């Protein structure tokens, strides 16, 4: 996702007494104002966690990262385990749980699924506001006895994904997972609330080819790219094959076979 777009006005606010110091800390860290009457978005410190709220009469509800309840909990309990398409795409099989770098982490939903299946995950989200939501959600997940073992397998890295991959130190990831923002056409489908909220902040990913290039240079075993089902492949080397679902597909760029115990 692209860097925060300067044209969007954002303020930080506390929604309850006793949370002002947290709001001030986030404002300082993200270099955002606490008072901005003309703000289009508010990063809110609430009793349920950090959340992003679009302002205005027709705005959707707030978005926060929640690995304990809601969709994440339902998918963890009833999502289909290692039979899920994303699990097959990254190479999960009997005795194989690859180390995965999710270089476009967003709200961490896909990374959480893979971590719940036993993968050690590294996450990069370069948009600072979304990174803050993700950091807050991971911290709250560690406080829940059922979710903590999963979240402990998710390490959040800071910085631009391409730079992080190009300057990687230590053992490289076996698999790199990419889900770059794709230009949306309003007529095709109702956009998810998160995407309606984030698009003014993050735009599309015009540097997706550079993202893929950096991923292919770093991953030891494969790169997986999630795309809308009918979208073209990312410009560059072609995937060897793909897995296709109802609304999305996974383009797979293999480098080496994933084997048990490796």
């Amino acid at each position: 996702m692209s860097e925060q777009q300067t044209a969007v006005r954002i303020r930080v606010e506390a929604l309850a007494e006793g949370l002002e110091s947290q709001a001030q800390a986030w404002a300082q860290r993200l270099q955002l104002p606490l008072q901005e009457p003309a703000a289009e978005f508010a990063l809110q410190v609430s009793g349920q966690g950090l959340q992003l709220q679009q302002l205005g009469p027709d705005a959707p509800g707030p978005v926060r990262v929640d690995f304990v309840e809601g969709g994440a909990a339902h998918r963890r309990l009833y999502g289909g385990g290692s039979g899920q398409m994303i699990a097959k795409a990254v190479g999960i099989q009997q005795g194989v749980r690859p180390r995965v770098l999710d270089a476009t982490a967003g709200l961490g939903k896909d990374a959480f699924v893979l971590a719940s299946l036993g993968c050690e995950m590294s996450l990069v989200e370069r948009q600072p506001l979304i990174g803050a939501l993700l950091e807050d959600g991971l911290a709250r997940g560690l406080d829940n006895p059922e979710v903590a073992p999963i979240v402990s397998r998710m390490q959040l890295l800071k910085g631009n994904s391409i730079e992080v991959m190009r300057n990687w130190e230590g053992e490289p990831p076996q698999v790199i997972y990419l889900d770059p923002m794709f230009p949306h056409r309003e007529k095709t489908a109702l956009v998810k609330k998160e995407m309606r909220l984030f698009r003014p902040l993050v735009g599309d990913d015009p540097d997706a080819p550079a993202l893929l290039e950096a991923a292919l240079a770093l991953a030891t075993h494969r790169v997986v790219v999630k795309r809308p089902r009918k979208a073209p492949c990312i410009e560059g080397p072609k995937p060897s094959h793909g897995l296709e679902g109802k609304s999305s597909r996974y383009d797979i760029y293999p480098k080496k076979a994933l084997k048990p115990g490796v």
Side-chain angles (χ1 to χ4, degrees):
M1 295 185 179
S2 11
E3 302 291 351
Q4 182 176 317
Q5 297 182 354
T6 54
V8 179
R9 292 183 293 270
I10 306 156
R11 68 172 181 246
V12 181
E13 59 189 24
L15 294 188
E17 288 186 26
L19 300 177
E20 293 85 358
S21 61
Q22 290 184 47
Q24 189 166 14
W26 280 114
Q28 287 180 333
R29 187 167 147 192
L30 297 169
Q31 298 182 315
L32 294 172
L34 288 164
Q35 303 293 330
E36 173 51 82
E40 299 151 273
F41 291 85
L43 185 66
Q44 300 171 331
V45 181
S46 75
Q48 289 76 46
L50 195 66
Q51 60 188 38
L52 187 63
Q53 173 67 64
Q54 187 173 359
L55 304 174
D58 299 321
V63 169
R64 74 177 70 90
V65 173
D66 189 350
F67 295 123
V68 178
E69 298 178 353
H74 186 272
R75 193 166 177 186
R76 171 170 58 89
L77 297 171
Y78 310 111
S82 57
Q84 297 174 77
M85 198 179 303
I86 188 174
K88 294 176 180 177
V90 302
I92 289 176
Q93 53 188 291
Q94 187 170 0
V96 176
R97 293 297 185 272
R99 297 184 316 280
V100 181
L101 167 62
D102 183 345
T104 52
L107 297 176
K109 293 180 180 179
D110 288 341
F112 182 78
V113 169
L114 295 175
S116 71
L117 296 174
C119 292
E120 293 292 331
M121 301 295 302
S122 299
L123 292 74
V124 185
E125 174 48 58
R126 57 180 165 177
Q127 210 291 336
L129 283 176
I130 300 173
L133 297 178
L134 185 52
E135 180 180 331
D136 179 72
L138 288 168
R140 284 184 286 108
L142 286 173
D143 290 334
N144 180 275
E146 288 185 32
V147 172
I150 299 171
V151 171
S152 66
R153 290 193 284 271
M154 300 168 67
Q155 180 190 12
L156 180 60
L157 308 175
K158 303 290 174 64
N160 180 296
S161 309
I162 295 173
E163 300 296 326
V164 169
M165 288 190 284
R166 287 176 177 168
N167 299 307
W168 190 271
E169 296 181 0
E171 191 172 14
Q174 293 171 295
V175 177
I176 295 180
Y177 178 78
L178 304 174
D179 182 11
M181 289 284 278
F182 184 74
H184 174 72
R185 292 171 296 180
E186 288 296 335
K187 295 179 182 178
T188 54
L190 179 66
V191 194
K192 287 184 180 179
K193 179 174 72 172
E194 290 94 335
M195 290 301 101
R196 292 210 311 275
L197 186 68
F198 291 158
R199 194 162 291 279
L201 296 172
V202 304
D204 301 319
D205 271 328
D207 59 355
L211 201 63
L212 176 60
E213 182 183 7
L216 287 169
L218 178 62
T220 59
H221 287 68
R222 74 171 63 177
V223 173
V224 177
V225 181
K226 185 179 181 181
R227 302 293 275 167
R229 186 170 65 87
K230 295 184 178 180
C233 298
I234 292 180
E235 184 181 333
K238 298 303 178 192
S240 72
H241 63 289
L243 299 174
E244 194 170 294
K246 291 181 180 178
S247 61
S248 60
R249 73 169 194 274
Y250 297 91
D251 292 341
I252 298 169
Y253 301 75
K255 295 179 72 175
K256 191 163 62 173
L258 287 158
K259 298 177 181 178
V262 178

